[in-house]
Amino acid sequence: MDIPRGISEEIGFRRTMEDEHAFYEDPARLFFSAEIYDGHGGRQPAQIAAQMLTPWFLRSWSRERERPPGERRDEADILREAYLAVDAHLVSRRVQAGTCAAQLYLIGERFLAANAGDSRVVIGTGQGAAVLTEDHKPDTRAERSRVEALGGSVVLLGVPRVEGILAISRALGDACLKPYVSAEPRITEGVLGSENDVAVLACDGVWDVLSPGEVIDAARQERDPRKGAEGISRMALDRGSTDNITVIVLDLRKYTSVLKNRKMVIQKVHDRA
């Protein structure tokens, strides 16, 4: 699939790099994915998730397509199961670390944007930008209520943290913080339009210091998505980001130019947490 892409990875001011990224394509099914995994406590969970999650989705999707049309589950359900399968695998291996996850799946003119944690998927819309994901922070009303209903706590130690440890409330892995840290993804499903010119996936090392509009504007300024990704990384460092930084820029202009719809349409948001 003809989707130019660029990637930039910076260790920042951390001792180790804990981010991973992945791309997958299945042209026969008009499928493309871009993905970011922001590990914490070690890189292993991010590596495992990058290698496992979408292949699990693609295998299950293939099996689903063999069933009668009226009995098939939709892609959002399969993607949710992929998240939970990766999480169960990490927990069963007693991996104490964890990882945030964010994916943008393109299936023809349709898209799925999924996340658990605070990595984001942002897409250009006309002259603006739309955030397709939602940060899972423990101090939001919904996430705090969920954690406390399970018997957990949110403690302010610099920033709000689940059990005084983790500054996000959803992630893959983190066996020691189950069931308070959930692997349930939030999935936005919709249809692309010709207004969608670029998309950016990035970890919180970017979003802590840059707004979605600034990031999309920077991606638009470069015809080469690699230079766009590198420029966004430099901006984040210049603004004072001290975290690992991973940025993916997708140039969607050719891909969306043939679409019949001008406006992007969000059809459903799936969230079972």
Side-chain angles (χ1 to χ4, degrees), residues 144-186:
R144 179 187 287 270
S145 296
R146 180 185 61 77
V147 170
E148 292 178 344
L150 292 168
S153 62
V154 176
V155 179
L156 183 63
L157 289 176
V159 296
R161 299 177 184 272
V162 176
E163 296 293 277
I165 298 172
L166 191 63
I168 51 172
S169 53
R170 299 196 205 180
L172 302 172
D174 294 301
C176 65
L177 291 172
K178 297 299 185 192
Y180 317 126
V181 173
S182 173
E184 282 283 355
R186 179 185 185 273

Short mmCIF file of all heavy atoms in Angstrom, two decimals, residues 144-186:
data_model
loop_
_atom_site.label_atom_id
_atom_site.label_comp_id
_atom_site.label_asym_id
_atom_site.label_seq_id
_atom_site.Cartn_x
_atom_site.Cartn_y
_atom_site.Cartn_z
N ARG A 144 -10.24 6.95 37.78
CA ARG A 144 -10.14 6.88 39.24
C ARG A 144 -11.29 6.03 39.82
O ARG A 144 -11.06 5.18 40.69
CB ARG A 144 -10.17 8.27 39.85
CG ARG A 144 -10.09 8.27 41.39
CD ARG A 144 -10.30 9.65 41.96
NE ARG A 144 -9.15 10.51 41.74
CZ ARG A 144 -8.13 10.61 42.59
NH1 ARG A 144 -8.12 9.89 43.71
NH2 ARG A 144 -7.14 11.43 42.33
N SER A 145 -12.49 6.25 39.32
CA SER A 145 -13.64 5.49 39.82
C SER A 145 -13.46 4.00 39.55
O SER A 145 -13.77 3.16 40.41
CB SER A 145 -14.93 5.99 39.16
OG SER A 145 -15.20 7.32 39.51
N ARG A 146 -12.96 3.66 38.37
CA ARG A 146 -12.75 2.25 38.03
C ARG A 146 -11.71 1.62 38.95
O ARG A 146 -11.91 0.51 39.49
CB ARG A 146 -12.31 2.12 36.57
CG ARG A 146 -12.08 0.69 36.12
CD ARG A 146 -11.55 0.61 34.70
NE ARG A 146 -10.27 1.30 34.56
CZ ARG A 146 -9.11 0.79 34.97
NH1 ARG A 146 -9.06 -0.38 35.57
NH2 ARG A 146 -7.99 1.47 34.80
N VAL A 147 -10.58 2.30 39.16
CA VAL A 147 -9.51 1.77 40.01
C VAL A 147 -10.01 1.60 41.45
O VAL A 147 -9.79 0.55 42.08
CB VAL A 147 -8.29 2.72 39.97
CG1 VAL A 147 -7.27 2.32 41.04
CG2 VAL A 147 -7.64 2.68 38.59
N GLU A 148 -10.69 2.60 41.96
CA GLU A 148 -11.14 2.54 43.36
C GLU A 148 -12.25 1.51 43.55
O GLU A 148 -12.33 0.88 44.62
CB GLU A 148 -11.60 3.93 43.81
CG GLU A 148 -10.43 4.91 43.90
CD GLU A 148 -10.84 6.31 44.29
OE1 GLU A 148 -12.05 6.63 44.20
OE2 GLU A 148 -9.96 7.10 44.69
N ALA A 149 -13.10 1.31 42.54
CA ALA A 149 -14.15 0.29 42.64
C ALA A 149 -13.57 -1.11 42.74
O ALA A 149 -14.20 -2.02 43.30
CB ALA A 149 -15.09 0.40 41.44
N LEU A 150 -12.37 -1.29 42.22
CA LEU A 150 -11.69 -2.59 42.28
C LEU A 150 -10.88 -2.75 43.56
O LEU A 150 -10.25 -3.79 43.77
CB LEU A 150 -10.77 -2.75 41.07
CG LEU A 150 -11.47 -2.88 39.72
CD1 LEU A 150 -10.47 -2.73 38.57
CD2 LEU A 150 -12.19 -4.23 39.61
N GLY A 151 -10.88 -1.73 44.41
CA GLY A 151 -10.13 -1.80 45.66
C GLY A 151 -8.77 -1.17 45.60
O GLY A 151 -8.00 -1.23 46.57
N GLY A 152 -8.43 -0.54 44.48
CA GLY A 152 -7.14 0.11 44.35
C GLY A 152 -7.20 1.56 44.79
O GLY A 152 -8.23 2.07 45.22
N SER A 153 -6.06 2.23 44.65
CA SER A 153 -5.99 3.63 45.06
C SER A 153 -5.20 4.43 44.04
O SER A 153 -4.38 3.89 43.29
CB SER A 153 -5.32 3.75 46.44
OG SER A 153 -3.98 3.26 46.40
N VAL A 154 -5.47 5.73 44.04
CA VAL A 154 -4.71 6.68 43.23
C VAL A 154 -4.03 7.63 44.20
O VAL A 154 -4.69 8.31 44.98
CB VAL A 154 -5.61 7.45 42.25
CG1 VAL A 154 -4.82 8.51 41.50
CG2 VAL A 154 -6.28 6.48 41.27
N VAL A 155 -2.70 7.65 44.17
CA VAL A 155 -1.91 8.39 45.13
C VAL A 155 -1.10 9.46 44.39
O VAL A 155 -0.51 9.18 43.34
CB VAL A 155 -0.96 7.46 45.91
CG1 VAL A 155 -0.11 8.24 46.90
CG2 VAL A 155 -1.75 6.36 46.61
N LEU A 156 -1.08 10.67 44.94
CA LEU A 156 -0.32 11.75 44.33
C LEU A 156 1.13 11.68 44.82
O LEU A 156 1.43 11.98 45.97
CB LEU A 156 -0.93 13.10 44.70
CG LEU A 156 -0.27 14.33 44.07
CD1 LEU A 156 -0.39 14.29 42.55
CD2 LEU A 156 -0.89 15.62 44.62
N LEU A 157 2.01 11.25 43.93
CA LEU A 157 3.46 11.25 44.19
C LEU A 157 4.12 11.95 43.00
O LEU A 157 4.56 11.30 42.05
CB LEU A 157 4.00 9.83 44.37
CG LEU A 157 3.61 9.10 45.66
CD1 LEU A 157 4.13 7.67 45.65
CD2 LEU A 157 4.14 9.85 46.88
N GLY A 158 4.17 13.26 43.06
CA GLY A 158 4.61 14.05 41.91
C GLY A 158 3.47 14.22 40.94
O GLY A 158 3.06 15.34 40.63
N VAL A 159 2.94 13.10 40.44
CA VAL A 159 1.74 13.06 39.62
C VAL A 159 0.86 11.94 40.16
O VAL A 159 1.34 11.08 40.90
CB VAL A 159 2.08 12.80 38.12
CG1 VAL A 159 2.89 13.94 37.54
CG2 VAL A 159 2.80 11.47 37.96
N PRO A 160 -0.43 11.92 39.83
CA PRO A 160 -1.28 10.83 40.30
C PRO A 160 -0.80 9.48 39.76
O PRO A 160 -0.51 9.35 38.57
CB PRO A 160 -2.66 11.20 39.74
CG PRO A 160 -2.61 12.68 39.54
CD PRO A 160 -1.21 12.96 39.12
N ARG A 161 -0.74 8.49 40.66
CA ARG A 161 -0.22 7.16 40.29
C ARG A 161 -1.12 6.06 40.87
O ARG A 161 -1.58 6.17 42.00
CB ARG A 161 1.21 6.97 40.82
CG ARG A 161 2.21 7.98 40.26
CD ARG A 161 3.60 7.79 40.86
NE ARG A 161 4.52 8.79 40.39
CZ ARG A 161 5.25 8.68 39.27
NH1 ARG A 161 5.16 7.57 38.55
NH2 ARG A 161 6.05 9.64 38.89
N VAL A 162 -1.33 5.02 40.09
CA VAL A 162 -2.07 3.85 40.58
C VAL A 162 -1.23 3.15 41.63
O VAL A 162 -0.07 2.80 41.38
CB VAL A 162 -2.39 2.89 39.42
CG1 VAL A 162 -3.09 1.63 39.96
CG2 VAL A 162 -3.26 3.58 38.37
N GLU A 163 -1.80 3.00 42.83
CA GLU A 163 -1.11 2.40 43.97
C GLU A 163 0.20 3.12 44.28
O GLU A 163 1.14 2.53 44.83
CB GLU A 163 -0.83 0.92 43.70
CG GLU A 163 -2.07 0.07 43.56
CD GLU A 163 -2.87 -0.04 44.86
OE1 GLU A 163 -2.51 -0.89 45.68
OE2 GLU A 163 -3.85 0.73 45.02
N GLY A 164 0.27 4.40 43.92
CA GLY A 164 1.48 5.17 44.15
C GLY A 164 2.65 4.79 43.27
O GLY A 164 3.78 5.22 43.52
N ILE A 165 2.40 4.02 42.18
CA ILE A 165 3.48 3.48 41.35
C ILE A 165 3.42 3.99 39.92
O ILE A 165 4.38 4.60 39.42
CB ILE A 165 3.45 1.93 41.37
CG1 ILE A 165 3.66 1.41 42.79
CG2 ILE A 165 4.51 1.36 40.42
CD1 ILE A 165 3.45 -0.09 42.92
N LEU A 166 2.31 3.73 39.24
CA LEU A 166 2.25 3.93 37.79
C LEU A 166 1.38 5.13 37.44
O LEU A 166 0.25 5.25 37.92
CB LEU A 166 1.71 2.67 37.11
CG LEU A 166 1.82 2.61 35.58
CD1 LEU A 166 3.28 2.63 35.14
CD2 LEU A 166 1.13 1.35 35.05
N ALA A 167 1.91 6.01 36.58
CA ALA A 167 1.22 7.26 36.24
C ALA A 167 0.22 7.11 35.10
O ALA A 167 -0.28 8.10 34.57
CB ALA A 167 2.24 8.34 35.89
N ILE A 168 -0.08 5.89 34.69
CA ILE A 168 -1.14 5.61 33.73
C ILE A 168 -2.03 4.51 34.32
O ILE A 168 -1.59 3.74 35.18
CB ILE A 168 -0.60 5.17 32.36
CG1 ILE A 168 0.41 4.05 32.51
CG2 ILE A 168 -0.02 6.34 31.60
CD1 ILE A 168 0.86 3.43 31.22
N SER A 169 -3.26 4.46 33.86
CA SER A 169 -4.20 3.51 34.44
C SER A 169 -4.57 2.36 33.51
O SER A 169 -5.32 1.46 33.90
CB SER A 169 -5.47 4.24 34.88
OG SER A 169 -5.99 5.01 33.81
N ARG A 170 -4.06 2.40 32.27
CA ARG A 170 -4.25 1.26 31.36
C ARG A 170 -2.93 0.99 30.65
O ARG A 170 -2.22 1.93 30.25
CB ARG A 170 -5.34 1.54 30.32
CG ARG A 170 -6.70 1.79 30.91
CD ARG A 170 -7.78 1.67 29.86
NE ARG A 170 -8.98 2.43 30.20
CZ ARG A 170 -10.07 2.50 29.48
NH1 ARG A 170 -10.13 1.84 28.32
NH2 ARG A 170 -11.10 3.22 29.86
N ALA A 171 -2.63 -0.28 30.50
CA ALA A 171 -1.39 -0.69 29.84
C ALA A 171 -1.45 -2.20 29.64
O ALA A 171 -2.28 -2.90 30.23
CB ALA A 171 -0.17 -0.31 30.68
N LEU A 172 -0.54 -2.70 28.83
CA LEU A 172 -0.35 -4.14 28.67
C LEU A 172 0.72 -4.58 29.66
O LEU A 172 1.78 -3.95 29.78
CB LEU A 172 0.09 -4.47 27.25
CG LEU A 172 -0.86 -4.02 26.13
CD1 LEU A 172 -0.22 -4.24 24.77
CD2 LEU A 172 -2.19 -4.74 26.22
N GLY A 173 0.45 -5.67 30.38
CA GLY A 173 1.43 -6.16 31.36
C GLY A 173 1.17 -5.60 32.75
O GLY A 173 0.02 -5.52 33.18
N ASP A 174 2.25 -5.23 33.45
CA ASP A 174 2.15 -4.70 34.82
C ASP A 174 1.41 -5.68 35.73
O ASP A 174 0.42 -5.34 36.39
CB ASP A 174 1.47 -3.33 34.84
CG ASP A 174 2.30 -2.28 34.13
OD1 ASP A 174 3.45 -2.05 34.55
OD2 ASP A 174 1.81 -1.70 33.15
N ALA A 175 1.92 -6.92 35.77
CA ALA A 175 1.26 -7.98 36.54
C ALA A 175 1.07 -7.60 38.00
O ALA A 175 0.06 -7.95 38.61
CB ALA A 175 2.07 -9.27 36.43
N CYS A 176 2.01 -6.85 38.57
CA CYS A 176 1.93 -6.51 39.99
C CYS A 176 0.83 -5.50 40.29
O CYS A 176 0.49 -5.28 41.46
CB CYS A 176 3.28 -6.00 40.49
SG CYS A 176 3.79 -4.45 39.74
N LEU A 177 0.25 -4.89 39.26
CA LEU A 177 -0.78 -3.88 39.46
C LEU A 177 -2.15 -4.32 38.96
O LEU A 177 -3.07 -3.51 38.84
CB LEU A 177 -0.38 -2.56 38.79
CG LEU A 177 0.81 -1.83 39.43
CD1 LEU A 177 1.26 -0.66 38.58
CD2 LEU A 177 0.44 -1.36 40.84
N LYS A 178 -2.29 -5.62 38.68
CA LYS A 178 -3.59 -6.13 38.31
C LYS A 178 -4.46 -6.26 39.56
O LYS A 178 -3.95 -6.60 40.62
CB LYS A 178 -3.47 -7.51 37.63
CG LYS A 178 -2.69 -7.50 36.32
CD LYS A 178 -3.35 -6.62 35.28
CE LYS A 178 -2.62 -6.72 33.95
NZ LYS A 178 -3.04 -5.69 33.00
N PRO A 179 -5.78 -6.01 39.47
CA PRO A 179 -6.54 -5.68 38.26
C PRO A 179 -6.70 -4.18 38.03
O PRO A 179 -7.47 -3.77 37.17
CB PRO A 179 -7.91 -6.29 38.57
CG PRO A 179 -8.06 -6.04 40.05
CD PRO A 179 -6.68 -6.22 40.62
N TYR A 180 -5.98 -3.36 38.80
CA TYR A 180 -6.22 -1.92 38.75
C TYR A 180 -5.77 -1.30 37.43
O TYR A 180 -6.45 -0.42 36.90
CB TYR A 180 -5.51 -1.23 39.92
CG TYR A 180 -5.65 -1.97 41.22
CD1 TYR A 180 -4.54 -2.34 41.98
CD2 TYR A 180 -6.91 -2.35 41.69
CE1 TYR A 180 -4.67 -3.05 43.15
CE2 TYR A 180 -7.05 -3.06 42.87
CZ TYR A 180 -5.93 -3.42 43.60
OH TYR A 180 -6.06 -4.13 44.75
N VAL A 181 -4.65 -1.75 36.91
CA VAL A 181 -4.20 -1.29 35.59
C VAL A 181 -4.80 -2.22 34.54
O VAL A 181 -4.50 -3.42 34.52
CB VAL A 181 -2.66 -1.27 35.50
CG1 VAL A 181 -2.21 -0.96 34.07
CG2 VAL A 181 -2.10 -0.24 36.47
N SER A 182 -5.66 -1.68 33.72
CA SER A 182 -6.44 -2.48 32.77
C SER A 182 -5.78 -2.49 31.39
O SER A 182 -5.19 -1.50 30.96
CB SER A 182 -7.85 -1.89 32.65
OG SER A 182 -8.58 -2.53 31.62
N ALA A 183 -5.95 -3.61 30.70
CA ALA A 183 -5.48 -3.71 29.31
C ALA A 183 -6.59 -3.46 28.31
O ALA A 183 -6.37 -3.58 27.10
CB ALA A 183 -4.89 -5.10 29.07
N GLU A 184 -7.77 -3.09 28.80
CA GLU A 184 -8.89 -2.82 27.88
C GLU A 184 -8.54 -1.63 26.99
O GLU A 184 -8.27 -0.54 27.48
CB GLU A 184 -10.16 -2.51 28.65
CG GLU A 184 -10.86 -3.72 29.21
CD GLU A 184 -11.64 -4.50 28.16
OE1 GLU A 184 -11.71 -4.05 26.99
OE2 GLU A 184 -12.16 -5.57 28.52
N PRO A 185 -8.57 -1.81 25.68
CA PRO A 185 -8.28 -0.67 24.79
C PRO A 185 -9.52 0.19 24.56
O PRO A 185 -10.65 -0.28 24.67
CB PRO A 185 -7.87 -1.35 23.49
CG PRO A 185 -8.71 -2.60 23.47
CD PRO A 185 -8.79 -3.05 24.92
N ARG A 186 -9.27 1.42 24.27
CA ARG A 186 -10.32 2.29 23.71
C ARG A 186 -10.10 2.29 22.20
O ARG A 186 -8.99 2.55 21.72
CB ARG A 186 -10.20 3.70 24.26
CG ARG A 186 -11.25 4.69 23.72
CD ARG A 186 -10.97 6.08 24.24
NE ARG A 186 -11.98 7.05 23.86
CZ ARG A 186 -11.99 7.75 22.73
NH1 ARG A 186 -11.01 7.57 21.84
NH2 ARG A 186 -12.94 8.63 22.47
#
